[in-house]
Amino acid sequence: EALQGVSQTQNDAARLQRQFQLGAEGVSLEETMVAVQKSQIAFQAALTVRNRLVSAYTDIMNMNV
């Protein structure tokens, strides 16, 4: 569900970028830039969570039992 949210945020940012480039009315540069930044932050957060999960898994697998 979280990954779908990140994907949706990226899709929204890409849509706004296309609309701004095409000169659509009602799409401002500020709105577009905020959407792109939100998308980047969401992606970085997901990447950080993934890296921490992989690190925890590796630590658990290297434990002596």
Side-chain angles (χ1 to χ4, degrees):
E1 189 175 315
L3 291 177
Q4 287 177 345
V6 171
S7 179
Q8 183 62 42
T9 303
Q10 289 177 328
N11 290 339
D12 291 344
R15 180 183 48 80
L16 282 173
Q17 284 178 323
R18 277 192 305 274
Q19 288 177 347
F20 181 76
Q21 290 171 348
L22 294 173
E25 291 184 27
V27 179
S28 67
L29 177 60
E30 294 82 8
E31 179 185 11
T32 303
M33 294 304 293
V34 167
V36 169
Q37 287 299 315
K38 283 182 181 181
S39 169
Q40 290 176 348
I41 290 169
F43 180 74
Q44 287 297 323
L47 193 60
T48 300
V49 169
R50 185 216 53 175
N51 289 343
R52 287 187 185 234
L53 286 171
V54 168
S55 177
Y57 176 78
T58 302
D59 290 345
I60 291 170
M61 293 306 293
N62 289 332
M63 285 182 182
N64 291 329
V65 179

